[in-house]
Amino acid sequence: DAKTTQPPSMDCAEGRAANLPCNHSTISGNEYVYWYRQIHSQGPQYIIHGLKNNETNEMASLIITEDRKSSTLILPHATLRDTAVYYCIVRVAGANNLFFGTGTRLTVIP
Amino acid sequence: DVKVTQSSRYLVKRTGEKVFLECVQDMDHENMFWYRQDPGLGLRLIYFSYDVKMKEKGDIPEGYSVSREKKERFSLILESASTNQTSMYLCASLKRKGMTGELFFGEGSRLTVL
């Protein structure tokens, strides 16, 4: 599986959009981009995933660049409950394993 | 509601003891995983299983073994616990068919080895 690179930490003001970047320059054509988050003392939680097109669900939006070498997770109106570690992962559909990195610690500030 | 249940939230064991961490999922998922999580290192994959009695090594299998006798249960075994195995252990499951990639995690088991 290709590796990802994320900034170790970010701050965001409450109510503003949080934009979390992820680099995956070695991604291959059949690898999806997944985002998870982990709130303190809980197991990670799935947020969203995509292949080429931008995706949106009730939690977030995922913007993938045309060359697929990077992506951005957008939380449109960050709340204090969005404070968590966010993980970006790439994975081949149907692959049995999933490798996490160190993620980005997002702190939403009142 | 989907659920992954880990047997113990907190354990304290002594060096050399045999430790069993149990994980049960009620979603009929084919794939199950064990990760450990340490500060600054993120989640690291220890072992995973894609079917009953099948197992594959992850990034850091040394010092661990696993057992998957039934589809719903995946056990992590530390044959002889050492202090460097003090960590948070996370179990997860994934449905193979459909392949949305949505891993479901348990709440974690925090193991301290003295």
Short mmCIF file of all heavy atoms in Angstrom, two decimals, chain A residues 62-92:
data_model
loop_
_atom_site.label_atom_id
_atom_site.label_comp_id
_atom_site.label_asym_id
_atom_site.label_seq_id
_atom_site.Cartn_x
_atom_site.Cartn_y
_atom_site.Cartn_z
N LEU A 62 -14.54 15.40 0.66
CA LEU A 62 -13.20 14.94 0.28
C LEU A 62 -12.90 15.48 -1.10
O LEU A 62 -13.65 15.21 -2.05
CB LEU A 62 -13.15 13.41 0.29
CG LEU A 62 -11.87 12.77 -0.23
CD1 LEU A 62 -10.67 13.20 0.60
CD2 LEU A 62 -12.00 11.25 -0.23
N ILE A 63 -11.81 16.23 -1.19
CA ILE A 63 -11.37 16.79 -2.47
C ILE A 63 -10.08 16.08 -2.86
O ILE A 63 -9.10 16.12 -2.11
CB ILE A 63 -11.12 18.31 -2.36
CG1 ILE A 63 -12.32 19.02 -1.74
CG2 ILE A 63 -10.77 18.88 -3.73
CD1 ILE A 63 -13.59 18.92 -2.54
N ILE A 64 -10.08 15.44 -4.03
CA ILE A 64 -8.90 14.73 -4.51
C ILE A 64 -8.39 15.46 -5.74
O ILE A 64 -9.16 15.76 -6.66
CB ILE A 64 -9.25 13.27 -4.87
CG1 ILE A 64 -9.82 12.55 -3.64
CG2 ILE A 64 -8.01 12.52 -5.38
CD1 ILE A 64 -10.34 11.16 -3.91
N THR A 65 -7.10 15.77 -5.77
CA THR A 65 -6.54 16.49 -6.91
C THR A 65 -6.62 15.63 -8.17
O THR A 65 -6.73 14.39 -8.09
CB THR A 65 -5.09 16.89 -6.66
OG1 THR A 65 -4.33 15.71 -6.37
CG2 THR A 65 -4.99 17.86 -5.50
N GLU A 66 -6.53 16.29 -9.31
CA GLU A 66 -6.69 15.58 -10.57
C GLU A 66 -5.63 14.50 -10.76
O GLU A 66 -5.92 13.43 -11.30
CB GLU A 66 -6.64 16.58 -11.74
CG GLU A 66 -7.15 16.01 -13.04
CD GLU A 66 -7.35 17.09 -14.08
OE1 GLU A 66 -7.51 18.28 -13.72
OE2 GLU A 66 -7.33 16.74 -15.27
N ASP A 67 -4.41 14.78 -10.32
CA ASP A 67 -3.35 13.77 -10.44
C ASP A 67 -3.40 12.74 -9.32
O ASP A 67 -2.59 11.81 -9.29
CB ASP A 67 -1.97 14.43 -10.50
CG ASP A 67 -1.61 15.18 -9.24
OD1 ASP A 67 -2.36 15.08 -8.24
OD2 ASP A 67 -0.58 15.86 -9.23
N ARG A 68 -4.33 12.91 -8.39
CA ARG A 68 -4.57 12.00 -7.26
C ARG A 68 -3.39 11.91 -6.30
O ARG A 68 -3.36 11.03 -5.45
CB ARG A 68 -4.95 10.61 -7.76
CG ARG A 68 -6.16 10.60 -8.63
CD ARG A 68 -6.98 9.33 -8.60
NE ARG A 68 -6.20 8.12 -8.43
CZ ARG A 68 -6.37 7.26 -7.42
NH1 ARG A 68 -7.29 7.48 -6.51
NH2 ARG A 68 -5.63 6.17 -7.35
N LYS A 69 -2.46 12.82 -6.37
CA LYS A 69 -1.30 12.74 -5.49
C LYS A 69 -1.55 13.40 -4.13
O LYS A 69 -0.71 13.30 -3.23
CB LYS A 69 -0.08 13.36 -6.17
CG LYS A 69 0.39 12.54 -7.35
CD LYS A 69 1.66 13.07 -7.95
CE LYS A 69 2.12 12.17 -9.08
NZ LYS A 69 3.41 12.60 -9.66
N SER A 70 -2.64 14.08 -4.00
CA SER A 70 -2.97 14.64 -2.69
C SER A 70 -4.48 14.79 -2.56
O SER A 70 -5.22 14.72 -3.56
CB SER A 70 -2.28 15.99 -2.49
OG SER A 70 -2.78 16.93 -3.42
N SER A 71 -4.92 14.98 -1.34
CA SER A 71 -6.34 15.17 -1.08
C SER A 71 -6.51 16.07 0.13
O SER A 71 -5.56 16.29 0.89
CB SER A 71 -7.05 13.83 -0.88
OG SER A 71 -6.51 13.13 0.24
N THR A 72 -7.72 16.58 0.29
CA THR A 72 -8.05 17.43 1.43
C THR A 72 -9.38 17.01 2.00
O THR A 72 -10.36 16.84 1.25
CB THR A 72 -8.13 18.91 1.01
OG1 THR A 72 -6.88 19.32 0.46
CG2 THR A 72 -8.46 19.80 2.22
N LEU A 73 -9.40 16.80 3.29
CA LEU A 73 -10.65 16.55 3.99
C LEU A 73 -11.16 17.88 4.51
O LEU A 73 -10.41 18.62 5.14
CB LEU A 73 -10.44 15.59 5.15
CG LEU A 73 -11.69 15.27 5.97
CD1 LEU A 73 -12.60 14.31 5.20
CD2 LEU A 73 -11.32 14.69 7.33
N ILE A 74 -12.42 18.18 4.25
CA ILE A 74 -12.99 19.45 4.69
C ILE A 74 -14.14 19.18 5.65
O ILE A 74 -15.09 18.47 5.33
CB ILE A 74 -13.52 20.26 3.49
CG1 ILE A 74 -12.37 20.55 2.52
CG2 ILE A 74 -14.15 21.56 3.97
CD1 ILE A 74 -12.82 21.19 1.22
N LEU A 75 -14.01 19.74 6.85
CA LEU A 75 -15.12 19.78 7.81
C LEU A 75 -15.70 21.19 7.70
O LEU A 75 -15.06 22.15 8.10
CB LEU A 75 -14.62 19.51 9.22
CG LEU A 75 -13.77 18.25 9.43
CD1 LEU A 75 -13.31 18.16 10.89
CD2 LEU A 75 -14.53 17.02 9.03
N PRO A 76 -16.88 21.34 7.12
CA PRO A 76 -17.34 22.69 6.73
C PRO A 76 -17.55 23.67 7.87
O PRO A 76 -17.29 24.86 7.71
CB PRO A 76 -18.66 22.40 5.99
CG PRO A 76 -19.06 21.04 6.40
CD PRO A 76 -17.82 20.30 6.75
N HIS A 77 -18.02 23.20 9.01
CA HIS A 77 -18.24 24.08 10.16
C HIS A 77 -17.75 23.35 11.41
O HIS A 77 -18.52 22.66 12.06
CB HIS A 77 -19.72 24.43 10.30
CG HIS A 77 -20.32 25.02 9.05
ND1 HIS A 77 -20.06 26.32 8.65
CD2 HIS A 77 -21.13 24.48 8.12
CE1 HIS A 77 -20.70 26.55 7.51
NE2 HIS A 77 -21.35 25.47 7.17
N ALA A 78 -16.49 23.49 11.69
CA ALA A 78 -15.89 22.71 12.77
C ALA A 78 -16.52 23.05 14.13
O ALA A 78 -16.79 24.21 14.44
CB ALA A 78 -14.39 22.94 12.82
N THR A 79 -16.75 22.01 14.92
CA THR A 79 -17.22 22.19 16.29
C THR A 79 -16.19 21.62 17.25
O THR A 79 -15.25 20.93 16.84
CB THR A 79 -18.56 21.46 16.51
OG1 THR A 79 -18.32 20.05 16.51
CG2 THR A 79 -19.57 21.80 15.43
N LEU A 80 -16.36 21.91 18.52
CA LEU A 80 -15.40 21.43 19.52
C LEU A 80 -15.34 19.90 19.50
O LEU A 80 -14.29 19.31 19.81
CB LEU A 80 -15.79 21.94 20.90
CG LEU A 80 -15.79 23.46 21.06
CD1 LEU A 80 -16.21 23.84 22.49
CD2 LEU A 80 -14.44 24.07 20.74
N ARG A 81 -16.44 19.26 19.15
CA ARG A 81 -16.47 17.79 19.12
C ARG A 81 -15.68 17.21 17.95
O ARG A 81 -15.48 16.00 17.89
CB ARG A 81 -17.92 17.30 19.06
CG ARG A 81 -18.66 17.45 20.37
CD ARG A 81 -20.10 17.01 20.24
NE ARG A 81 -20.86 17.88 19.34
CZ ARG A 81 -22.14 17.72 19.05
NH1 ARG A 81 -22.81 16.73 19.57
NH2 ARG A 81 -22.75 18.55 18.23
N ASP A 82 -15.24 18.05 17.03
CA ASP A 82 -14.40 17.59 15.93
C ASP A 82 -12.93 17.51 16.31
O ASP A 82 -12.10 17.08 15.50
CB ASP A 82 -14.58 18.49 14.71
CG ASP A 82 -15.96 18.38 14.09
OD1 ASP A 82 -16.51 17.26 14.06
OD2 ASP A 82 -16.49 19.43 13.68
N THR A 83 -12.59 17.95 17.51
CA THR A 83 -11.20 17.81 17.99
C THR A 83 -10.87 16.32 18.06
O THR A 83 -11.53 15.56 18.77
CB THR A 83 -11.04 18.47 19.36
OG1 THR A 83 -11.16 19.90 19.20
CG2 THR A 83 -9.68 18.15 19.97
N ALA A 84 -9.85 15.91 17.29
CA ALA A 84 -9.54 14.49 17.16
C ALA A 84 -8.25 14.35 16.35
O ALA A 84 -7.72 15.33 15.83
CB ALA A 84 -10.67 13.75 16.45
N VAL A 85 -7.79 13.12 16.24
CA VAL A 85 -6.71 12.80 15.31
C VAL A 85 -7.33 12.25 14.03
O VAL A 85 -8.17 11.34 14.09
CB VAL A 85 -5.72 11.77 15.90
CG1 VAL A 85 -4.64 11.42 14.88
CG2 VAL A 85 -5.09 12.31 17.18
N TYR A 86 -6.93 12.81 12.89
CA TYR A 86 -7.50 12.44 11.60
C TYR A 86 -6.46 11.66 10.80
O TYR A 86 -5.32 12.11 10.62
CB TYR A 86 -7.95 13.68 10.84
CG TYR A 86 -9.19 14.29 11.45
CD1 TYR A 86 -9.11 15.06 12.61
CD2 TYR A 86 -10.45 14.07 10.89
CE1 TYR A 86 -10.25 15.60 13.20
CE2 TYR A 86 -11.59 14.60 11.46
CZ TYR A 86 -11.49 15.35 12.61
OH TYR A 86 -12.62 15.88 13.19
N TYR A 87 -6.86 10.50 10.31
CA TYR A 87 -5.96 9.63 9.56
C TYR A 87 -6.39 9.57 8.10
O TYR A 87 -7.55 9.34 7.80
CB TYR A 87 -5.98 8.21 10.13
CG TYR A 87 -5.46 8.09 11.54
CD1 TYR A 87 -6.32 8.09 12.63
CD2 TYR A 87 -4.09 7.95 11.77
CE1 TYR A 87 -5.85 7.97 13.92
CE2 TYR A 87 -3.61 7.82 13.06
CZ TYR A 87 -4.49 7.82 14.13
OH TYR A 87 -4.01 7.71 15.40
N CYS A 88 -5.42 9.72 7.23
CA CYS A 88 -5.60 9.56 5.80
C CYS A 88 -4.91 8.26 5.38
O CYS A 88 -3.75 8.05 5.74
CB CYS A 88 -4.98 10.76 5.08
SG CYS A 88 -4.80 10.60 3.29
N ILE A 89 -5.61 7.42 4.66
CA ILE A 89 -5.08 6.10 4.30
C ILE A 89 -5.38 5.85 2.82
O ILE A 89 -6.43 6.27 2.32
CB ILE A 89 -5.80 5.01 5.13
CG1 ILE A 89 -5.62 5.24 6.60
CG2 ILE A 89 -5.31 3.62 4.76
CD1 ILE A 89 -6.79 4.75 7.39
N VAL A 90 -4.48 5.17 2.14
CA VAL A 90 -4.78 4.72 0.79
C VAL A 90 -4.82 3.20 0.78
O VAL A 90 -4.04 2.55 1.49
CB VAL A 90 -3.78 5.26 -0.25
CG1 VAL A 90 -3.92 6.76 -0.38
CG2 VAL A 90 -2.36 4.89 0.10
N ARG A 91 -5.69 2.65 0.00
CA ARG A 91 -5.91 1.21 0.04
C ARG A 91 -6.54 0.74 -1.25
O ARG A 91 -7.44 1.38 -1.77
CB ARG A 91 -6.83 0.89 1.20
CG ARG A 91 -7.34 -0.52 1.28
CD ARG A 91 -8.14 -0.71 2.55
NE ARG A 91 -8.81 -1.99 2.55
CZ ARG A 91 -10.08 -2.15 2.21
NH1 ARG A 91 -10.80 -1.11 1.86
NH2 ARG A 91 -10.63 -3.33 2.23
N VAL A 92 -6.07 -0.42 -1.71
CA VAL A 92 -6.66 -1.03 -2.88
C VAL A 92 -8.01 -1.62 -2.49
O VAL A 92 -8.12 -2.28 -1.45
CB VAL A 92 -5.75 -2.16 -3.43
CG1 VAL A 92 -6.43 -2.90 -4.56
CG2 VAL A 92 -4.41 -1.59 -3.86
#
